[in-house]
């Protein structure tokens, strides 16, 4: 049974706030189901280099699976738009809209500190090259408020450079600062975390996501190692004590030798 391509796509609407440098982003219905469409801006559609770029992005993102990243479903021709990356639709508001409206809550802060960091960790683990993460590309879903990233990579490499890794930490720091500006009662140490992430000198930022997680949790590797060393010292002291003459039950017991009875 054949299907008219134009009849399966309805209610196509441009989402200007989610546009990217080379792409337009739309919401639309396919057979009545809401989806998101990502396609080249009109001035790039006929350029082979940009057509290759969108095809590569689809290849890179198609096999990704993470609860805080919008998943890719297909790559197909959409009437009036051309070839589009098809993704699950995300019902909700971008972090930019939430910031602009002043409706930021402690729950948003918590999800930025955990779900966004989880997503960045996944992106780095898979060596994805991507544009800087911005409030426009962070969505909080309508019903339960889960955080979703809609732009997570256009290339994949065997390894990311240290500079690429630290740029993610810088982007996170910028976003954390924006959220904290709307929450004056937020923990002060998180402002210090944001400041370190945004340090102009990359060598002074957190070196990796693990260090960033520890800082957000208000812990440090040094404290952790100190606890381990202290524990080992206590165990060694107990071992020495139990092996010493002061330990319970270690008193020497004189053995009485019975006298020989003369017969």
């Amino acid at each position: 049974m054949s299907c008219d391509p134009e009849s399966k796509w309805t209610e196509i609407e441009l989402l200007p706030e989610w546009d990217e440098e080379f792409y337009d982003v739309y919401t639309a219905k396919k057979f009545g189901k809401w989806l998101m469409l990502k396609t080249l801006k009109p001035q790039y559609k006929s350029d082979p280099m940009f057509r290759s770029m969108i095809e590569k992005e689809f290849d890179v993102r198609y096999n990704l699976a993470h609860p805080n990243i919008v998943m890719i479903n297909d790559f197909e021709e959409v009437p009036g738009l051309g070839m589009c990356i098809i993704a699950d639709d995300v019902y909700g508001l971008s972090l930019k809209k939430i910031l602009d409206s002043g409706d930021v809550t402690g729950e948003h802060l918590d999800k930025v500190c955990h779900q966004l960091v989880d997503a960045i960790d996944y992106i780095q683990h898979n060596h994805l090259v991507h544009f800087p993460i911005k409030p426009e590309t962070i969505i909080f879903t309508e019903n339960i408020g889960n955080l979703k990233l809609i732009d997570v990579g256009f290339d994949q490499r065997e390894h990311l450079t240290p500079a690429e890794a630290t740029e993610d930490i810088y982007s996170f720091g910028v976003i954390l600062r924006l959220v904290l500006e709307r929450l004056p009662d937020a923990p002060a140490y998180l402002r210090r975390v944001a400041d370190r992430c945004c340090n102009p000198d990359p060598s002074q930022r957190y070196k990796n996501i693990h260090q960033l997680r520890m800082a957000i949790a208000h812990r440090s590797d040094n404290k952790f190692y100190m606890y381990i060393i202290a524990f080992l010292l206590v165990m060694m002291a107990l071992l020495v004590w139990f092996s010493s003459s002061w330990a319970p039950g270690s008193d020497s017991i004189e053995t009485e030798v019975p006298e020989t009875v003369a017969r």
Side-chain angles (χ1 to χ4, degrees):
M1 176 180 175
S2 62
C3 177
D4 179 3
E6 295 194 13
S7 66
K8 71 178 180 179
W9 289 103
T10 58
E11 301 186 47
I12 300 174
E13 181 180 351
L14 179 66
L15 302 174
E17 68 165 303
W18 293 347
D19 282 359
E20 302 170 23
E21 183 177 2
F22 304 112
Y23 299 109
D24 286 329
V25 179
Y26 293 81
T27 184
K29 282 184 177 180
K30 180 181 180 181
F31 297 125
K33 178 184 177 181
W34 285 106
L35 297 168
M36 291 182 71
L37 313 178
K38 181 174 180 177
T39 188
L40 289 169
K41 290 181 180 293
Q43 62 267 37
Y44 303 122
K45 287 185 183 294
S46 60
D47 190 318
M49 181 183 75
F50 289 101
R51 290 204 302 268
S52 175
M53 183 177 72
I54 192 172
E55 290 171 4
K56 186 168 188 177
E57 179 166 342
F58 169 75
D59 291 339
V60 166
R61 294 183 58 185
Y62 183 67
N63 291 315
L64 300 181
H66 190 277
N68 302 119
I69 292 175
V70 174
M71 295 295 99
I72 297 299
N73 297 324
D74 210 342
F75 185 56
E76 67 174 275
E77 183 86 21
V78 177
L81 298 182
M83 293 301 294
C84 296
I85 292 175
I86 315 297
D88 289 338
D89 192 22
V90 183
Y91 296 96
L93 296 174
S94 69
L95 178 58
K96 184 179 187 307
K97 278 192 172 181
I98 295 171
L99 290 167
D100 290 345
S101 66
D103 294 328
V104 182
T105 67
E107 185 176 355
H108 293 123
L109 174 61
D110 181 71
K111 289 178 179 177
V112 164
C113 288
H114 296 95
Q115 294 182 353
L116 179 56
V117 172
D118 287 346
I120 294 173
D121 191 19
Y122 182 82
I123 289 170
Q124 292 197 353
H125 181 75
N126 285 276
H127 310 141
L128 301 178
V129 182
H130 59 91
F131 296 111
I133 298 169
K134 303 179 296 183
E136 293 88 338
T137 60
I138 299 170
I139 310 299
F140 288 92
T141 59
E142 186 175 44
N143 294 324
I144 57 177
N146 274 344
L147 183 150
K148 297 274 188 179
L149 282 181
I150 64 170
D151 181 24
V152 297
F154 55 84
D155 198 1
Q156 190 169 27
R157 301 177 185 168
E158 289 189 9
H159 301 284
L160 293 179
T161 66
E164 288 167 334
T166 192
E167 280 303 310
D168 284 338
I169 290 174
Y170 178 84
S171 295
F172 172 81
V174 171
I175 290 165
L176 181 58
R177 270 184 175 174
L178 291 171
V179 173
L180 291 172
E181 285 173 2
R182 308 305 198 276
L183 295 172
D185 296 331
Y189 78 89
L190 287 177
R191 303 181 196 282
R192 294 192 293 271
V193 170
D195 289 343
R196 182 170 175 183
C197 288
C198 296
N199 194 303
D201 181 358
S203 68
Q204 298 302 309
R205 300 172 194 161
Y206 299 104
K207 293 181 174 59
N208 50 51
I209 296 299
H210 171 69
Q211 282 193 357
L212 177 58
R213 285 189 199 277
M214 296 291 284
I216 290 171
H218 212 196
R219 295 181 296 176
S220 71
D221 285 338
N222 288 339
K223 288 182 181 179
F224 178 71
Y225 292 133
M226 285 175 63
Y227 291 145
I228 292 178
I229 292 171
F231 173 77
L232 291 175
L233 288 173
V234 169
M235 295 304 294
M236 290 175 62
L238 287 173
L239 182 61
V240 170
W241 185 68
F242 279 119
S243 302
S244 70
S245 59
W246 297 288
S250 63
D251 294 339
S252 57
I253 300 174
E254 295 182 2
T255 304
E256 295 184 1
V257 180
E259 296 181 1
T260 302
V261 179
R263 295 182 180 274

